[in-house]
Amino acid sequence: MTPVSFYLVTDTHYLNNILEPGGEAFEKNMVTEQFFVKESGDIISSVFNKIIEDKETDIVILPGDLVKNGEKESHNGFIKELYRLKDNGKRVYVITAGHDYNDNAYVLKGDGRAPVEGTDYNALCEMYRDFGYGAAIAFDEPTHSYVAEIAEGVRMLAIHCDSKDQPKGAMDDRLMSWAKEQLDKAKEDNCSVFAACHYPVIPSVPAFDLVGDAKIKDWRKVASFLADNGVELVLTGHMHIQSINEFYSEKGNRLIDICTSALVGSPAKYRKITIDENSVMKVETFDVPDFGWDLNGLTPQEYFDNHFAISVAARIRGALDGGDGIVKHLKSFGKSRFDNITVGGFKRLLCLKRDKELDRKKLSDFVGEVAVSIFTGDMPYVEGTPGYNFIAGILDRFSFVLKKVEPKLGKTDEKLDLRCMLLNTIGNNKGFSDNNAEFSLK
Ligand SMILES: [Fe+2]
Ligand SMILES: [Fe+2]
């Protein structure tokens, strides 16, 4: 592939503080919210400052969910920040996505929702004309997908799979045939092509293969289509997770999916990708720098991760609320146990072998740590670690349940092994990092 380097920033979910979010409803939502909504503007500015400082790389790619929920004022503020990149010599390419248009936008204020001006889907291309759409050499009107030549001999196929009135999270046959024309044209013109798409093309972790909205529909078909038509790299977002995955088509062609996390909440990473003259691709991942808020002595990373771990536990508590009759009793028993029980106590309940390392940890803290690690990538719970042994023990205890649900959940002719899938979701066994890695491209 032709040498090129660029920054990758995604799911910025920016909310303009001019809309004055706050109050009881806002604070209640923040308990389970992954993003730091009020801080989002300062987080984005601090990261853009770092990108501006780097004089080696002048391209920035943002694959969607630019603003919180389609607020017009959020787009106005975000576009100002993009002009700051542009005025400092950067070329910016965005894809818009589901959170970027909204006919019924609102902010949380006081004790409920306050309506604010939203954004019409059809207005987005003009609004972001200076950030990709204006440089398009091909444009697909129904979806707002486009092709741009981002460097001499290097084209980006920007696949918009989150468009209004189009199949959601999908690359249907019509869009695929438009993309095929673009890929054939690139071949004729002797250009290399990589793709960008808001939805992951390859499930970020094995368990996401079972979650409908976690990856593009018919992902094996889409991944094979891209790989067999000369695309070896796709840049994605949407799932707010750090992951790198490889897929091989039946013809033996490889696709690498680099999925990057949301910028404004745990794990809050952005990336720089450099492809050199020998077609070696280097992926580097960076934390959000200090963004000027008082974080009580925590680093931004600790601040983001602590909140995410607490919010995951809060979601589990929420799921254990409600119900009727016996279900209500069982849920409330589960909730009180979840809040108080240690890993050791839980093992005792299930008659699992106990060891010292994790036993004193609260179960709710352990669950939060596992969730943070899955979204940060390079999950450490590999075979032989206490965390792996604990989770493997639980799965073995409930193997009769797994065996019952496996035939219902299986997506291919291959028999689903739920135990293996879940254990590969908590431990990175791929042989390369999800954050800092090198690949030799074709
Ligand atoms: Fe998102
Ligand atoms: Fe999304």
Side-chain angles (χ1 to χ4, degrees):
M1 190 159 162
T2 318
V4 68
S5 93
F6 50 83
Y7 276 95
L8 186 53
V9 181
T10 192
D11 292 75
T12 40
H13 285 282
Y14 167 66
L15 185 81
N16 195 335
N17 280 336
I18 210 171
L19 297 170
E20 299 180 328
E24 197 189 320
F26 177 85
E27 296 306 332
K28 194 173 167 211
N29 182 64
M30 277 307 294
V31 175
T32 51
E33 175 63 85
Q34 185 184 1
F35 312 128
F36 281 90
V37 178
K38 285 186 180 173
E39 293 90 330
S40 59
D42 292 321
I43 294 170
I44 292 162
S45 292
S46 71
V47 168
F48 284 7
N49 287 343
K50 284 281 175 197
I51 292 175
I52 288 167
E53 274 172 28
D54 182 349
K55 303 298 176 205
E56 274 176 12
T57 300
D58 65 354
I59 300 170
V60 186
I61 296 169
L62 299 104
D65 281 355
L66 308 172
V67 302
K68 179 78 175 73
N69 231 341
E71 314 82 16
K72 184 76 180 290
E73 285 294 359
S74 297
H75 280 297
N76 291 342
F78 192 71
I79 287 167
K80 266 190 203 159
E81 274 297 295
L82 295 185
Y83 272 116
R84 206 161 63 80
L85 287 176
K86 189 170 186 281
D87 293 345
N88 281 281
K90 307 297 179 192
R91 285 176 296 125
V92 178
Y93 300 88
V94 306
I95 307 177
T96 58
H99 281 263
D100 294 322
Y101 53 90
N102 191 349
D103 296 332
N104 299 296
Y106 64 88
V107 286
L108 294 173
K109 202 181 276 197
D111 58 4
R113 295 177 171 192
V116 297
E117 188 181 353
T119 307
D120 178 30
Y121 168 70
N122 289 312
L124 284 167
C125 291
E126 193 49 41
M127 288 165 69
Y128 286 90
R129 162 162 283 281
D130 285 341
F131 306 108
Y133 291 100
I137 57 171
F139 180 67
D140 179 56
E141 183 82 43
T143 61
H144 296 182
S145 300
Y146 67 94
V147 178
E149 190 149 326
I150 67 159
E152 207 183 327
V154 184
R155 290 182 187 173
M156 178 175 82
L157 171 67
I159 303 163
H160 197 320
C161 64
D162 210 3
S163 319
K164 198 175 182 184
D165 303 328
Q166 293 291 315
K168 190 93 177 148
M171 193 174 185
D172 64 1
D173 290 343
R174 191 206 59 78
L175 180 55
M176 221 178 256
S177 84
W178 176 82
K180 175 85 169 79
E181 274 173 39
Q182 309 314 317
L183 295 171
D184 289 347
K185 177 88 177 61
K187 219 175 278 170
E188 268 170 46
D189 297 345
N190 226 357
C191 286
S192 36
V193 184
F194 68 87
C197 176
H198 182 60
Y199 272 62
V201 174
I202 306 173
S204 306
V205 288
F208 284 4
D209 200 4
L210 304 178
V211 181
D213 194 45
K215 74 286 171 192
I216 206 158
K217 282 196 179 70
D218 285 332
W219 71 266
R220 289 175 184 82
K221 180 179 167 188
V222 175
S224 298
F225 163 76
L226 292 172
D228 292 343
N229 283 284
V231 176
E232 201 177 5
L233 169 66
V234 61
L235 315 170
T236 65
H238 180 61
M239 285 309 290
H240 308 158
I241 188 170
Q242 287 291 111
S243 70
I244 303 179
N245 287 288
E246 290 179 316
F247 168 83
Y248 285 87
S249 72
E250 278 178 15
K251 292 182 185 165
N253 296 311
R254 177 175 66 167
L255 180 73
I256 301 171
D257 183 334
I258 300 181
C259 185
T260 301
S261 78
L263 189 70
V264 297
S266 175
K269 310 285 187 196
Y270 65 105
R271 307 201 198 242
K272 179 177 174 177
I273 294 177
T274 310
I275 300 167
D276 70 14
E277 57 286 357
N278 298 315
S279 295
V280 173
M281 176 173 69
K282 184 176 172 195
V283 182
E284 295 169 274
T285 294
F286 305 100
D287 291 342
V288 167
D290 176 17
F291 54 95
W293 284 56
D294 178 2
L295 308 180
N296 283 326
L298 299 177
T299 64
Q301 204 55 54
E302 288 165 343
Y303 182 66
F304 298 137
D305 291 348
N306 286 356
H307 175 75
F308 187 41
I310 291 167
S311 75
V312 168
R315 278 172 194 244
I316 293 172
R317 267 181 225 111
L320 292 171
D321 275 333
D324 287 313
I326 185 76
V327 173
K328 186 175 180 169
H329 284 296
L330 282 172
K331 278 187 164 188
S332 101
F333 176 72
K335 189 174 175 182
S336 70
R337 283 291 176 152
F338 179 68
D339 272 333
N340 299 311
I341 202 165
T342 59
V343 169
F346 193 65
K347 283 182 188 167
R348 201 176 308 122
L349 263 183
L350 295 182
C351 303
L352 298 177
K353 197 170 152 251
R354 292 166 58 207
D355 50 51
K356 284 186 189 136
E357 231 171 295
L358 285 176
D359 284 1
R360 285 167 183 235
K361 194 182 278 288
K362 276 177 76 176
L363 181 66
S364 54
D365 290 344
F366 177 72
V367 168
E369 284 170 18
V370 173
V372 169
S373 90
I374 290 173
F375 282 81
T376 308
D378 298 332
M379 306 74 81
Y381 305 100
V382 291
E383 197 166 355
T385 58
Y388 176 99
N389 292 341
F390 174 45
I391 293 170
I394 298 171
L395 295 173
D396 290 341
R397 207 38 100 234
F398 291 100
S399 61
F400 66 98
V401 180
L402 301 187
K403 293 282 162 276
K404 268 204 161 150
V405 297
E406 275 168 354
K408 291 177 191 151
L409 293 176
K411 298 271 159 101
T412 60
D413 293 341
E414 245 174 71
K415 195 175 166 290
L416 173 66
D417 183 343
L418 214 41
R419 181 185 190 274
C420 176
M421 177 184 257
L422 294 173
L423 291 173
N424 277 323
T425 295
I426 56 156
N428 177 353
N429 294 309
K430 293 177 287 195
F432 51 81
S433 162
D434 290 300
N435 287 290
N436 297 293
E438 273 191 16
F439 296 86
S440 284
L441 302 180
K442 271 187 220 154

